[in-house]
Amino acid sequence: MGILSSRIDLHLHSTASDGVDSPETVVRQAAALGLPAIALTDHDTVDGVARAVEAGSRLGVEVVPGIEVSSDYRDNNIHVLGYFVDPDSPALRPVLDWAAAERDDRNRRLCAMLAADGFDISMEELLSEYPAAVLGRPHFAELMVRKGYVSSVAEGFDRYLEVGRPYFLPRRRISLADAIKTIRLAGGVAALAHPFEYKYPENEVVEFIEYAMGLGVQALECYYSNHSPGQQAWLLARAEKYGLGISGGSDYHGVRKPHIHMGTGIDGNLRVPYSVLPALKALIQKHPE
Ligand code: AMP
Ligand code: ZN
Ligand code: FE
Ligand code: FE
């Protein structure tokens, strides 16, 4: 088999956001699995990218500098993947700084609410437990487990942190339009992440994809651990119909999401062929304005 049909993984998280493995460990694991290429796509940060790229050049894994930007479209948290972004782009920095400040503000308010109700969970402890992370609800849930308030991260979400639960606090996100624009201004290719995770019925997914295309989205994440074979086939057909690029990956977070495996998804259901990568590369715009 040639390289074009080799398995790759273009959706991975590290300790720079809410993954469990360091950027180097992510790359080392990719090398051990024989993946010729990966993308590091941490939530709202490129802080792990330089380390991953460096490890990749040492270990012979092509590492695409990436990001997964949280954005807002009609109060839905829409994720946009950015591939080949320049981590030092002046277009990116203020947007990521703003997102980090909003997140920090939400986290501090959440800590205050929990403390007022007698939970022994503080910002100081979160920061010392997870020094490099983009702190989010998974980290709160883990502390809840460790302190015996709940018996699992899932229970932490179900009882306390999920939308509609007593400690769900929304945070402001940039618009979907600005997320796509920022990625492209930073030299990246913008791909709509896991289009079936937003719970739209099929006819609304169509509308949503068309809307995102109008905003400049260039690719669809067709291959994804949680997509059914039918959804995958449907997305591949849509991408072809619209002339959009194809991306895909597992959304690996390490043991924080133990059912999701790098490269192979859930129970081996994922296979992203290398051939999508040169096609995505061809979508890089030389002079985005
Ligand atoms: P935040 O960024 O703080 O809003 O948290 C989002 C993170 O929480 C994402 O990585 C999600 O995968 C994770 N998450 C959301 N809902 C759940 C859940 N019910 N169980 C476990 N993780 C979840
Ligand atoms: Zn995550
Ligand atoms: Fe996502
Ligand atoms: Fe993700």
Side-chain angles (χ1 to χ4, degrees), residues 24-275:
E24 289 85 358
T25 302
V26 167
V27 178
R28 214 173 299 128
Q29 193 173 329
L33 291 168
L35 308 183
I38 60 167
L40 188 70
T41 55
D42 275 306
H43 298 288
D44 301 314
T45 183
V46 286
D47 287 354
V49 161
R51 286 164 61 187
V53 169
E54 198 277 321
S57 62
R58 245 182 314 116
L59 298 168
V61 178
E62 180 180 352
V63 175
V64 174
I67 190 165
E68 183 174 26
V69 177
S70 310
S71 75
D72 183 85
Y73 172 63
R74 298 187 177 170
D75 288 333
N76 222 331
N77 186 349
I78 306 297
H79 288 177
V80 187
L81 294 159
Y83 298 116
F84 316 107
V85 286
D86 169 9
D88 300 319
S89 163
L92 206 51
R93 190 47 48 199
V95 171
L96 300 186
D97 288 347
W98 180 83
E102 285 296 321
R103 200 179 257 286
D104 187 60
D105 177 64
R106 188 278 311 260
N107 291 342
R108 286 176 193 281
R109 285 185 289 125
L110 179 49
C111 281
M113 255 176 103
L114 289 166
D117 289 349
F119 288 87
D120 175 28
I121 287 179
S122 69
M123 218 41 214
E124 289 64 38
E125 188 167 8
L126 285 162
L127 288 169
S128 75
E129 279 299 319
Y130 307 104
V134 172
L135 285 174
R137 288 176 291 159
H139 306 98
F140 280 86
E142 271 179 25
L143 272 197
M144 287 178 167
V145 173
R146 211 170 315 158
K147 306 223 160 177
Y149 299 123
V150 290
S151 57
S152 67
V153 166
E155 190 191 342
F157 272 89
D158 286 351
R159 269 177 74 181
Y160 297 123
L161 298 165
E162 196 52 275
V163 182
R165 297 298 172 208
Y167 299 104
F168 174 77
L169 286 180
R171 63 189 154 83
R172 289 192 293 171
R173 296 180 298 268
I174 62 168
S175 68
L176 175 60
D178 283 343
I180 294 167
K181 194 167 123 194
T182 300
I183 287 167
R184 295 190 63 166
L185 284 173
V189 171
L192 191 59
H194 39 67
F196 278 101
E197 291 288 291
Y198 310 117
K199 317 280 181 244
Y200 294 128
E202 202 169 288
N203 63 320
E204 288 179 37
V205 179
V206 173
E207 272 174 46
F208 175 60
I209 291 171
E210 289 177 350
Y211 174 75
M213 282 175 70
L215 299 177
V217 113
Q218 297 157 284
L220 296 180
E221 188 177 45
C222 300
Y223 302 99
Y224 187 68
S225 295
N226 286 347
H227 287 163
S228 69
Q231 290 172 331
Q232 177 177 302
W234 188 91
L235 286 166
L236 287 167
R238 283 283 142 182
E240 171 153 28
K241 175 174 169 185
Y242 290 130
L244 290 168
I246 292 163
S247 80
S250 62
D251 213 353
Y252 174 79
H253 283 69
V255 291
R256 193 159 281 141
K257 295 188 181 180
H259 57 298
I260 296 179
H261 299 281
M262 189 186 298
T264 50
I266 300 167
D267 298 327
N269 69 343
L270 189 75
R271 180 177 194 97
V272 185
Y274 185 92
S275 56

